[in-house]
Amino acid sequence: ELKVEQNPLFLSMQEGKNYTIYCNYSTTSDRLYWYRQDPGKSLESLFVLLSNGAVKQEGRLMASLDTKARLSTLHITAAVHDLSATYFCAVDISSSGKLTFGQGTILTVHP
Amino acid sequence: DAGVIQSPRHEVTEMGQEVTLRCKPISGHDYLFWYRQTMMRGLELLIYFNNNVPIDDSGMPEDRFSAKMPNASFSTLKIQPSEPRDSAVYFCASSQGHWTQYFGPGTRLLVL
């Protein structure tokens, strides 16, 4: 059974600081997604990572994938309050379209 | 495009009643997914369809849950009879092929 684990589950950051969220998964996969969810809202797609070494960047967020280590990271640079949300990674094994989600990381950015 | 549309957005019902959740996927998308989100269990995939055909329903919790997709633009998730433990947010998502899934706004279900 595929397991997807995020670390940390709760992250309180000061504005302007950098931090990384980690996503480990237990079965080989070449496709990993990152989503954002604001409180009481739906999930918004951030990134899709398709191969080993893939790196995607959007604004203050950068995601990477290491398929050999079964690890993806979401790096936050110079955090701002608007980044406060829950971030999920999701793994698609066998490129089937069936996603298994991590537990989510609740990020709070404060002054 | 209007995105994935779900109705109702909120539903409050009493235990034992039938609940029907509705979803309209993004036009042109051939995959449709139903998820349930709770604090205890996180996001769980319940069932998904490809070209209106159910592909994997292994996440459906029990026989009280059923899902249909009669055509490419409409799907339902039905709970009969409902129980308090079914209280959750139910999301519908759609995708084109095995690519990024786009989520609807969700239905917040409370079973009393």
Side-chain angles (χ1 to χ4, degrees), chain B residues 35-60:
Chain B
Y35 290 90
R36 177 171 67 176
Q37 186 177 35
T38 61
M39 288 295 293
M40 291 300 295
R41 300 177 67 87
L43 266 164
E44 304 173 278
L45 175 65
L46 300 178
I47 185 172
Y48 74 99
F49 296 83
N50 175 220
N51 291 324
N52 314 337
V53 176
I55 302 301
D56 186 340
D57 65 354
S58 59
M60 296 285 263

Side-chain angles (χ1 to χ4, degrees), chain A residues 31 33 35 37 39-45 47-48 50 88 92 94-99 101-103, chain B residues 9 31 33 35 37 39 42-43 45 48 56 58 91 95 97-106 108:
Chain A
R31 191 173 298 188
Y33 296 85
Y35 284 86
Q37 185 178 34
K41 302 294 185 181
S42 185
L43 281 81
E44 173 191 354
S45 174
F47 302 109
V48 54
L50 299 177
F88 292 93
D92 179 355
S94 306
S95 300
S96 65
K98 181 176 177 177
L99 295 183
F101 281 80
Q103 312 97 308
Chain B
R9 297 290 303 276
Y31 280 81
F33 305 82
Y35 290 90
Q37 186 177 35
M39 288 295 293
L43 266 164
L45 175 65
Y48 74 99
D56 186 340
S58 59
F91 287 105
S95 68
H98 299 156
W99 294 108
T100 300
Q101 294 180 24
Y102 294 88
F103 283 72
R108 281 156 181 75

Side-chain angles (χ1 to χ4, degrees), chain A residues 42, chain B residues 4-6 22-25 32-35 75 90-94 102-107:
Chain A
S42 185
Chain B
V4 176
I5 298 172
Q6 291 186 246
R22 298 173 177 80
C23 175
K24 176 179 169 57
L32 184 140
F33 305 82
W34 282 102
Y35 290 90
S75 177
Y90 291 81
F91 287 105
C92 175
S94 70
Y102 294 88
F103 283 72
T107 296

Side-chain angles (χ1 to χ4, degrees), chain B residues 64-100:
Chain B
R64 297 185 297 106
F65 286 69
S66 62
K68 294 182 180 179
M69 192 166 185
N71 57 61
S73 58
F74 184 66
S75 177
T76 59
L77 178 67
K78 187 175 292 187
I79 308 172
Q80 166 64 19
S82 58
E83 297 183 2
R85 60 192 166 125
D86 301 330
S87 298
V89 181
Y90 291 81
F91 287 105
C92 175
S94 70
S95 68
Q96 188 166 22
H98 299 156
W99 294 108
T100 300

